[in-house]
Structures are given as C-alpha cells and as structure tokens.
C-alpha cells in the first residue's frame, strides 16, 4: 500500500473501519467535502497534527497511514499480516480517554455476541488458524474493551472475564508468531482484568500466559518462580472435592513451570513439576479443555517431551513420543496441540541427527495446522537445520514445505 497517495490510504482505512465520510468528518471536526477532497487527492495533507488526529480516529499507527508499513518477512507471507500486528498493537497501547476503549462505550456489543465471538476466537487459535485470528483480533479487542468499559452492576464481572480471555488469546498467538513484547503486554493486561472479574482460575491461567511471554523474552527464572507461586495458591488441599477446572488450571501452571525450568537446565524441577501435573491429570481422569487448557494425561506427556527437547535430550523426547503417548488420545487433541508437539518432536529428532524423521514430523504438523509450522520462527530454525544437514537435494515434500515457509533450500 505504500505506493498509494495518502488520501487513498485514508479512504482505505476509513473503509476498513466501516466509517462513512460524514461520520469520519464529524469525528475529525471537518466537513464531508474536506474529507472527500483529501481522499481524492485534491487537498494535501501536510500538517502532522492533522495526520496524527486522523490516525487516532482510524485507530492505527501514523506510520501505517504514511505508507511506512513494516517490511513483510518471507516467513510471514502465509501467516500474519504485519499491518494487523500494528492494529493489535494500537488496540493494546491506547490509554487516553479519547481512545477506542471509551469511544465505543455508549454502544457496547451485547454480551451474548461477545461470548460467541470469544469462543470462536479460542477455537480459531486451537485449530491453528493464526492468520485468520490476527485479522479478527483488532476488532475483538476494541469490542471487548468497549464492553468492559460500558457494562456495570451484575454484568461487570462477565464483561471483564471476556476481556481477560481476549487478552489471553492475543498474548498466545502473538508469542507464537514472535511478537514477544506485545505478547507480554497482552498477558499482563489479562492478569489485571482477571482480578476485576473476581475469578482466581482466570487469573491462574493468565499467569501462564505472562510466564510464557517472559520465557520467550529470555526471563525463564522469574517465569518459573511465578508459575510455582500461583500453582501453590491454587493447589487442591486434602482429599476434598475439587473442580475439574481448578485441577486443569493448577496442572497447567505446573507444566508451564516445568517448561521454564527446562530453559534454565533445572532438570530436577522439571521432573517434580511434571510429576505433580501428572497427579492432577490422573485425578482429573482424562483430557479436557477447561479454561481452554487442553489439560489432561496426554498433554502432560506432550510437555514431558517438550521439556526434554529444551534440556537438549532429543532421544528422551522421541522415547516419550513413541512409548508414552497413546495414538487415539493424541488424535483426539485439537490440531494446535498436536502440531505443536510434532514441532517439538522434529526438534528432538534433529538433536539426535535423524533429519529424515525430523522432516516427516514437520510435514505431519503442517498437515494438521499449517500455521503452527509455517509461521513460527522456531519451526524455521528446524527446517533450516534439516536442509543444511540433508545430503544432496531434499525430498520434494520437504523442499515444497521449505518454499512455503520462505526457508531457502
């Protein structure tokens, strides 16, 4: 879009916001004729103050309005539009009272509609459709913020709960796509909102998002400490009744603590935390998706393999994959979980020098959830390693996947 005149870009983004010329002119304090002339290029936009005001009304970064879109990485072509990342950033970084947070508050979306939209976003994430999700997230964030700002009384807690979930969805997908600082910001917001929602379990699962972002930014030790601290707060006491949701959130805190411990080479803590999660999963009695955790015995084993990879023990990861994960239970998991695991196993095979099986694992993951393989930076590292260590030309399926990923053969 950087080749378009600025007036055409204004028209484009105004259309994306589903805003008429008259509404846009009213918010800008200009006439409809003025807007029309700007968009047709008859009138120049040469005052930065006006440009910033337009960008604010259109809820976007002024650099995008000027046509200075971030360069699209080769690995992003089939994955995530960097324009949408900037839109998500704009939705997350708005604080002033004129922002979209308050702008839509008089006419917030109905909570029934918000609930359906949030559930759909979770499923979009768990099916590994990251490009589709990032395109939907800017509006979902603005709608959830508007609902949280507008609803009070008996509806306040639910509105906050929904906003907290949207922040968690944003954090999860942004972290996978390498936008770690934005992932941390969204996760941090989700923790604050969870307290207003008065839901300790939402706060607990929000903690795992914060810690995942910290690990991605190289802050594994504080992530380990925070996961364990909150897990202890939510730990079942005695042999009394405990809800499946509590067991799931508690178990996920332990698993994410184990992943943080594996990043710093603390194998003893990894074993303790995974074994604790296994006890919670056994008590839960199967694989479930409470609070969108996909927690259960199978997911525990997936994390056992992932932690082994992080510890550099690819052989152990492959052993867990082959001997400890029943195929029917694995196939019953949602696509994102299975593809994520196959990416971990590809890394494990690569660690032991089995590049053929590493490539096959990537291909299997790609068939399940292409975005999990084609869009994640860690998958690109694995593919580069496979290509570098393959003697002669790589098999055609691997070469095709590498091309789709933007990884040079």
């Amino acid at each position: 879009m950087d080749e378009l005149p600025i007036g055409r870009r204004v028209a484009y983004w105004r259309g994306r916001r589903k805003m008429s010329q008259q509404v846009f002119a009213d918010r800008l304090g200009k006439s409809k004729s003025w807007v029309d002339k700007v968009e047709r290029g008859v009138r120049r936009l040469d005052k930065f103050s006006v440009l910033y005001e337009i960008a604010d009304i259109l809820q976007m970064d002024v650099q995008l309005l000027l046509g200075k879109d971030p360069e699209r990485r080769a690995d992003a072509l089939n994955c995530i539009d960097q324009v949408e990342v900037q839109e998500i950033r704009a939705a997350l970084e708005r604080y002033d009272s004129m922002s979209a947070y308050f702008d839509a508050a008089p006419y917030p979306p109905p909570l029934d509609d918000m609930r359906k939209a949030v559930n759909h976003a979770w499923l979009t994430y768990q099916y590994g459709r990251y490009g589709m999700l990032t395109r939907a997230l800017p509006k979902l964030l603005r709608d959830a913020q508007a609902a949280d700002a507008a609803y009070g009384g008996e509806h306040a807690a639910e509105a906050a709960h929904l906003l907290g979930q949207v922040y968690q969805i944003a954090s999860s997908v942004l972290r996978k796509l390498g936008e770690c600082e934005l992932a941390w910001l969204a996760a941090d917001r989700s923790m604050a909102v969870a307290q207003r929602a008065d839901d300790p379990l939402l706060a607990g699962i929000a903690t795992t998002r914060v810690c995942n972002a910290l690990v991605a930014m190289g802050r594994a030790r504080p992530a380990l400490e925070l996961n364990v601290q909150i897990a202890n707060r939510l730990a079942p006491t005695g042999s009394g009744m405990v809800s499946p949701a509590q067991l799931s959130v508690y178990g996920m805190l332990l698993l994410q603590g184990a992943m943080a411990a594996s990043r710093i080479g603390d194998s003893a803590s990894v074993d303790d935390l995974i074994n604790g999660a296994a006890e919670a999963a056994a008590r839960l009695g199967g694989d479930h998706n409470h609070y969108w955790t996909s927690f259960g015995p199978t997911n525990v084993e997936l994390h056992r393999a992932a932690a082994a990879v992080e510890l550099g023990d690819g052989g152990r990861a492959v052993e867990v994959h082959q001997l400890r994960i029943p195929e029917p239970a694995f196939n019953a998991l949602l696509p994102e979980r299975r593809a994520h695991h196959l990416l971990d196993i590809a890394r494990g095979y690569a660690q032991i020098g089995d590049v053929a099986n590493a490539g096959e694992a990537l291909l299997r993951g790609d068939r399940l959830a292409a975005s999990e393989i084609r869009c994640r930076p860690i998958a690109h590292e694995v593919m580069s390693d496979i290509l570098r260590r393959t003697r002669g030309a790589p098999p055609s399926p691997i070469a095709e996947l590498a091309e789709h990923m933007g990884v040079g053969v």
Side-chain angles (χ1 to χ4, degrees):
M1 256 179 67
D2 53 354
E3 73 276 12
L4 291 178
I6 189 166
R8 291 281 300 281
R9 285 196 293 274
V10 171
Y12 169 82
W13 286 105
R14 178 181 59 75
R16 287 287 296 271
R17 298 295 181 262
K18 294 181 171 55
M19 199 181 298
S20 69
Q21 281 189 340
Q22 186 62 63
V23 170
F24 180 56
D26 290 345
R27 293 187 181 184
L28 195 57
K30 303 285 187 181
S31 67
K32 181 182 176 182
S33 172
W34 185 93
V35 171
D36 183 65
K37 288 177 181 177
V38 165
E39 293 185 349
R40 288 190 294 113
V42 175
R43 187 182 189 100
R44 293 181 61 188
L45 271 178
D46 49 12
K47 289 186 177 180
F48 271 98
S49 59
V50 177
L51 284 169
Y52 276 100
E53 193 173 357
I54 288 173
D56 188 63
I57 290 168
L58 294 177
Q59 301 166 6
M60 60 183 295
D61 192 290
V62 73
Q63 296 301 313
L64 294 179
L65 185 61
L66 290 168
K68 298 178 180 178
D69 297 357
E71 270 190 38
R72 293 171 187 267
R73 307 184 308 257
D75 60 69
L77 293 179
N78 296 314
C79 304
I80 181 171
D81 188 330
Q82 287 298 300
V83 172
E84 304 299 348
V85 170
Q86 292 301 327
E87 286 196 78
I88 295 170
R89 184 189 302 276
L92 288 171
E93 292 181 345
R94 300 180 73 84
Y95 292 94
D96 59 284
S97 61
M98 299 300 292
S99 72
Y101 185 94
F102 295 96
D103 212 17
Y107 306 102
L111 287 181
D112 282 347
D113 292 350
M114 279 302 308
R115 199 179 305 115
K116 292 174 185 176
V118 172
N119 287 343
H120 182 264
W122 273 120
L123 288 172
T124 303
Y125 173 75
Q126 292 194 323
Y127 275 83
R129 297 166 183 163
Y130 303 147
M132 182 187 301
L133 182 56
T134 55
R135 288 189 290 275
L137 266 174
K139 181 179 185 302
L140 186 59
L141 279 163
R142 292 192 295 270
D143 285 349
Q145 290 167 340
D148 181 58
Y151 286 105
E154 60 181 329
H155 299 298
E158 183 178 6
H161 204 286
L162 291 169
L163 177 58
Q165 291 185 62
V166 175
Y167 281 141
Q168 290 192 38
I169 296 166
S171 177
S172 297
V173 71
L174 287 166
R175 177 182 56 83
K176 279 186 179 277
L177 297 172
E179 300 287 342
C180 300
E181 291 186 3
L182 271 186
W184 182 45
L185 173 61
D188 187 69
R189 294 276 183 83
S190 76
M191 288 188 73
V193 173
Q195 295 176 47
R196 287 196 288 104
D198 194 26
D199 185 345
L201 298 184
L202 184 67
I205 206 63
T207 300
T208 67
R209 316 291 180 193
V210 169
C211 293
N212 285 342
L214 287 172
V215 169
M217 293 190 296
R219 303 286 296 158
R221 189 168 294 281
L224 168 60
E225 293 170 357
L226 182 56
N227 271 312
V228 172
Q229 177 188 349
I230 303 304
N232 288 337
R233 300 278 183 89
L234 293 177
T237 55
S239 57
M241 290 292 294
V242 58
S243 73
Q246 182 180 345
L247 284 169
S248 298
V249 174
Y250 167 69
M252 283 307 298
L253 282 159
L254 295 180
L255 289 179
Q256 297 309 319
M259 295 308 301
S262 68
R263 283 293 187 96
I264 56 178
D266 186 351
S267 58
S269 292
V270 169
D271 290 342
D272 287 345
L273 291 167
I274 288 182
N275 290 338
E279 292 176 11
R283 193 167 172 181
L284 183 63
D287 298 308
H288 298 278
N289 202 18
H290 300 292
Y291 279 75
W292 307 96
T293 57
S294 293
F295 181 73
T298 309
N299 205 359
V300 169
E301 296 307 321
L302 266 56
H303 280 80
R304 195 186 302 275
V309 171
E310 293 297 340
L311 289 167
D313 193 350
R316 172 63 175 157
V318 170
E319 180 184 323
V320 170
H321 171 69
Q322 294 175 339
L323 302 179
R324 297 183 65 106
I325 302 174
E327 188 170 347
F330 179 72
N331 290 337
L333 294 176
L334 286 161
E336 178 273 336
R337 277 282 76 218
R338 287 184 282 160
H340 186 147
H341 171 70
L342 289 167
L343 173 54
D344 287 331
I345 293 307
R347 296 172 64 200
Y349 276 121
Q351 285 177 355
I352 61 175
D354 188 344
V355 293
N357 272 319
E360 180 58 33
L362 287 185
L363 290 170
R364 286 182 61 196
D366 184 66
R367 288 192 290 269
L368 283 168
S371 294
E372 181 70 17
I373 305 303
R374 300 184 187 193
C375 304
R376 295 194 60 190
I378 186 65
H380 290 227
E381 293 178 18
V382 177
M383 177 58 83
S384 295
D385 189 34
I386 290 171
L387 296 176
R388 186 173 58 251
R389 296 163 67 182
T390 298
R391 294 183 179 179
S396 58
I398 294 295
E400 285 181 25
L401 179 56
E403 183 177 355
H404 284 305
M405 295 170 71
V407 178
V409 178

